[in-house]
């Protein structure tokens, strides 16, 4: 078991690591949409792995499977359908069968294997081998650690929001992180390898199995410090910046640049493809921009945050004029850039 003083030291190191200057590669800013595609595909596999751990299926696990269509597929389905409609339909149908099985309380191993096979094919379509660089895997690891559905957020949601079925997904994300670490560890020096192992061990201590624990830690952010620290290790190992919040003005401007072509897609009626941008942009806005903007430019945050929430909502809750809402979002992000000194 990892001692409390060591955890406190790791928390301090996490803050120090994230304060360093950006490294050579910058995968999120170089191609935020590609990284969002990859994370969506990774989360499909994470949810499947979590579901595989339960037989019979417990009541409540449908909160895991619902994420396929609410959170994961919207990140990449427009691009996948344009690139290979057969694969897009195959993956959607396979995941629908898994979701229905979870709702009915029984999912066959064949259905899970079928869905995994389609996920693998979709990954090959959307993220070619040439794009799977160390920096790419580092950014995927950062999302699996810190994004919604990842290790840190799963623990926080389970404790603070009583969303206990987030926990199995966090456990499954941690198993995928072990695989990524195994691929990248040969690039690490002795110190990086040692710290990386320590942070992973702390997280395994917090999420030892997919089963819901009898008691959770009192602190909902118990996993936050080791997760942040591990992102810092990945940054060093892959020589890449994996934290988009270092320059908030630049981030706001970059998000505005991403949103602009999506507005044209909305205007052309291609909502599925345009929505990929909203799903890619919103996590970075929420994690890094919303709180400060709510203090320094609350009217800007009200517009930008509100529209982003609407663009990723269920279809019947989205704005009627999607292109108009997107243009408002674009203008608000430009105002955010100015307010934040970008």
């Amino acid at each position: 078991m990892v001692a409390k003083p060591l955890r406190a030291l790791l928390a301090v190191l996490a803050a120090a690591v994230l304060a360093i200057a950006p490294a050579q590669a910058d995968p999120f800013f170089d191609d935020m949409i590609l990284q969002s595609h990859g994370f969506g595909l990774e989360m499909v596999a994470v949810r499947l792995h979590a579901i595989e751990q339960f037989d019979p299926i417990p009541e409540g696990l449908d909160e895991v499977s619902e994420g396929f269509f609410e959170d994961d597929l919207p990140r990449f389905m427009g691009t996948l359908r344009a690139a290979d409609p057969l694969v897009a339909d195959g993956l959607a149908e396979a995941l629908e069968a898994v979701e229905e099985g979870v709702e009915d309380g029984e999912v066959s191993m064949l259905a899970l294997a079928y869905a995994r096979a389609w996920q693998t094919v979709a990954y090959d379509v959307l993220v070619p081998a040439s794009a799977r660089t160390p920096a790419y895997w580092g950014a995927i690891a950062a999302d699996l650690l810190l994004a919604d559905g990842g290790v840190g957020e799963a623990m926080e949601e389970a404790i603070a929001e009583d969303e206990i079925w987030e926990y199995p997904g966090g456990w499954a994300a941690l198993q995928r992180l072990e695989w990524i670490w195994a691929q990248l560890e040969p690039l690490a020096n002795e110190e990086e390898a040692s710290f990386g192992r320590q942070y992973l061990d702390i997280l395994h201590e917090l999420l030892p199995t997919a089963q819901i624990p009898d008691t959770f830690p009192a602190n909902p952010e118990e996993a936050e410090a080791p997760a942040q620290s591990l992102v810092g290790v990945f940054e060093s190992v892959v020589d890449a910046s994996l934290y988009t919040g270092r320059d908030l003005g630049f981030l706001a401007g970059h998000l505005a640049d991403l949103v602009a072509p999506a507005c044209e897609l909305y205007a052309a009626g291609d909502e599925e493809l345009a929505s990929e941008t909203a799903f890619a942009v919103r996590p970075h806005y929420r994690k890094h921009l919303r709180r400060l903007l709510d203090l320094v430019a609350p009217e800007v945050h009200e517009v930008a945050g509100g529209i982003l929430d609407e663009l990723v909502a269920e279809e019947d809750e989205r704005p009627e004029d999607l292109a108009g809402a997107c243009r408002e979002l674009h203008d608000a992000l430009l105002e955010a850039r100015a307010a934040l000194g970008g």
Side-chain angles (χ1 to χ4, degrees), residues 96 102 226 257 261 284:
E96 185 176 356
V102 171
D257 291 343
H284 296 277

Side-chain angles (χ1 to χ4, degrees), residues 31-48:
D31 199 334
M32 192 172 284
I33 301 298
L34 174 70
Q35 292 295 157
S36 182
H37 287 168
F39 181 59
L41 288 158
E42 291 287 341
M43 284 304 300
V44 168
V46 162
R47 295 184 202 279
L48 290 171

Side-chain angles (χ1 to χ4, degrees), residues 10-127:
L10 295 182
V12 173
L13 288 173
V17 167
L18 291 175
I20 63 174
Q24 181 177 1
D26 211 345
F28 285 116
F29 286 119
D30 289 343
D31 199 334
M32 192 172 284
I33 301 298
L34 174 70
Q35 292 295 157
S36 182
H37 287 168
F39 181 59
L41 288 158
E42 291 287 341
M43 284 304 300
V44 168
V46 162
R47 295 184 202 279
L48 290 171
H49 191 38
I51 292 167
E52 286 173 343
Q53 307 311 305
F54 295 90
D55 184 19
I57 300 296
E59 185 177 352
L61 197 63
D62 57 339
E63 294 182 24
V64 174
S65 59
E66 286 170 357
F68 290 136
F69 293 94
E70 293 179 359
D71 303 315
D72 306 337
L73 266 64
R75 286 179 174 270
F76 60 80
M77 186 53 78
T79 299
L80 182 60
R81 196 179 306 282
D84 196 323
L86 176 64
V87 175
D89 290 343
L91 178 60
E93 291 170 7
L95 293 177
E96 185 176 356
V98 171
E99 184 179 33
E100 290 175 354
V102 171
E103 292 173 355
D104 294 339
E106 184 178 0
V107 182
S108 71
M109 295 303 295
L110 180 60
L112 288 165
Y114 194 57
R116 278 191 171 279
W118 280 114
Q119 184 267 355
T120 299
V121 174
Y123 215 129
D124 289 339
V125 171
L126 291 178
V127 187

Side-chain angles (χ1 to χ4, degrees), residues 14-328:
V17 167
L18 291 175
I20 63 174
Q24 181 177 1
D26 211 345
F28 285 116
F29 286 119
D30 289 343
D31 199 334
M32 192 172 284
I33 301 298
L34 174 70
Q35 292 295 157
S36 182
H37 287 168
F39 181 59
L41 288 158
E42 291 287 341
M43 284 304 300
V44 168
V46 162
R47 295 184 202 279
L48 290 171
H49 191 38
I51 292 167
E52 286 173 343
Q53 307 311 305
F54 295 90
D55 184 19
I57 300 296
E59 185 177 352
L61 197 63
D62 57 339
E63 294 182 24
V64 174
S65 59
E66 286 170 357
F68 290 136
F69 293 94
E70 293 179 359
D71 303 315
D72 306 337
L73 266 64
R75 286 179 174 270
F76 60 80
M77 186 53 78
T79 299
L80 182 60
R81 196 179 306 282
D84 196 323
L86 176 64
V87 175
D89 290 343
L91 178 60
E93 291 170 7
L95 293 177
E96 185 176 356
V98 171
E99 184 179 33
E100 290 175 354
V102 171
E103 292 173 355
D104 294 339
E106 184 178 0
V107 182
S108 71
M109 295 303 295
L110 180 60
L112 288 165
Y114 194 57
R116 278 191 171 279
W118 280 114
Q119 184 267 355
T120 299
V121 174
Y123 215 129
D124 289 339
V125 171
L126 291 178
V127 187
S130 60
R132 302 182 200 184
T133 63
Y136 168 83
W137 286 120
I140 291 296
D143 275 342
L144 288 173
L145 283 161
L146 301 178
D148 287 348
V151 176
E153 288 298 316
M155 177 68 75
E156 183 174 350
E157 291 292 311
I159 299 171
E161 304 297 331
D162 200 28
E163 299 286 346
I164 62 172
W165 291 104
E166 293 289 324
Y167 185 91
W171 172 87
L174 182 54
Q175 311 316 301
R176 182 58 171 170
L177 278 162
E178 279 286 3
W179 181 88
I180 294 174
W181 177 249
Q183 312 313 303
L184 297 178
E185 188 177 13
L187 303 177
N189 61 36
E190 185 176 347
E191 184 178 31
E192 292 163 346
S194 175
F195 274 112
R197 186 69 263 158
Q198 289 179 66
Y199 301 140
L200 283 165
D201 287 346
I202 293 172
L203 293 172
H204 281 296
E205 181 183 321
L206 294 170
L207 297 96
T209 74
Q211 308 302 313
I212 306 297
D214 293 332
T215 58
F216 286 101
N219 179 10
E221 297 187 357
E222 187 79 12
E224 183 73 12
Q228 293 274 11
S229 297
L230 189 52
V231 172
V233 173
F234 276 112
E235 281 198 315
S236 181
V237 170
V238 304
D239 191 22
S241 178
L242 305 178
Y243 183 75
T244 59
R246 288 191 169 95
D247 184 336
L248 297 182
F250 180 80
L251 174 61
H254 184 78
L255 297 184
D257 291 343
L258 281 180
V259 163
C263 298
E264 299 303 316
L265 291 170
Y266 279 124
D270 196 342
E271 182 179 350
E272 190 172 51
L273 191 56
S275 291
E276 291 185 1
T277 298
F279 276 86
V281 165
R282 183 172 177 266
H284 296 277
Y285 178 89
R286 286 181 56 80
K287 185 165 288 290
H288 302 300
L289 296 176
R290 62 178 174 127
R291 290 185 179 87
L292 183 57
L293 278 177
D294 199 27
L295 289 174
V296 302
E299 69 287 350
V300 174
H301 167 63
E302 183 177 1
V303 174
I307 291 175
L308 278 169
D309 288 346
E310 291 174 350
L311 291 178
V312 303
E314 294 184 15
E315 189 172 351
D316 59 354
E317 297 176 1
R318 294 179 183 178
E320 290 187 14
D321 181 5
L322 288 165
C326 183
R327 286 189 285 269
E328 285 186 60

